């Protein structure tokens, strides 16, 4: 399990009660999403289900893949507009 820095943007930040970033222990994105939902509540859980994730700046689609140690995870909710 790695110590990860999670950064929230837009609606994800609002759903995490205004938290901009925090450190979380998790091994995969699936595990991270569960830990964040447990910590902040179902409102954030709903956002996480639709969010995109950047792992050290790169899009990650495999949510069961192991995360690198000390990675920075950006939580990007769906954005409206164009």
């Amino acid at each position: 399990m790695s110590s990860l820095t999670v950064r929230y943007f837009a609606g994800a930040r609002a759903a995490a009660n205004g938290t901009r970033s925090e450190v979380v222990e998790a091994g995969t994105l699936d595990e991270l999403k569960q830990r964040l939902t447990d910590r902040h509540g179902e409102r954030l859980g709903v956002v996480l289900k639709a969010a995109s994730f950047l792992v050290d700046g790169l899009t990650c689609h495999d949510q069961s893949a192991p995360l690198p140690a000390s990675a920075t995870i950006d939580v990007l909710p769906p954005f409206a507009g164009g």
Side-chain angles (χ1 to χ4, degrees), residues 9-46:
F9 294 88
R13 181 179 296 159
N17 301 311
T19 303
R20 291 184 180 274
S21 69
E22 64 184 323
V23 176
V24 180
E25 298 280 330
T28 66
L29 283 177
D30 285 331
E31 184 179 350
L32 177 66
K33 291 187 327 183
Q34 185 60 55
R35 288 180 184 272
L36 295 174
T37 300
D38 292 347
R39 183 178 289 183
H40 294 285
E42 191 53 36
R43 182 173 172 217
L44 180 59
V46 169

Side-chain angles (χ1 to χ4, degrees):
M1 196 173 317
S2 298
S3 199
L4 309 166
T5 299
V6 179
R7 299 188 305 185
Y8 300 100
F9 294 88
R13 181 179 296 159
N17 301 311
T19 303
R20 291 184 180 274
S21 69
E22 64 184 323
V23 176
V24 180
E25 298 280 330
T28 66
L29 283 177
D30 285 331
E31 184 179 350
L32 177 66
K33 291 187 327 183
Q34 185 60 55
R35 288 180 184 272
L36 295 174
T37 300
D38 292 347
R39 183 178 289 183
H40 294 285
E42 191 53 36
R43 182 173 172 217
L44 180 59
V46 169
V47 171
L48 294 175
K49 288 177 185 174
S52 297
F53 299 89
L54 299 180
V55 178
D56 289 336
L58 300 173
T59 302
C60 183
H61 297 289
D62 183 356
Q63 299 195 3
S64 62
L67 294 169
S70 302
T72 297
I73 312 298
D74 293 328
V75 181
L76 306 171
F79 293 95

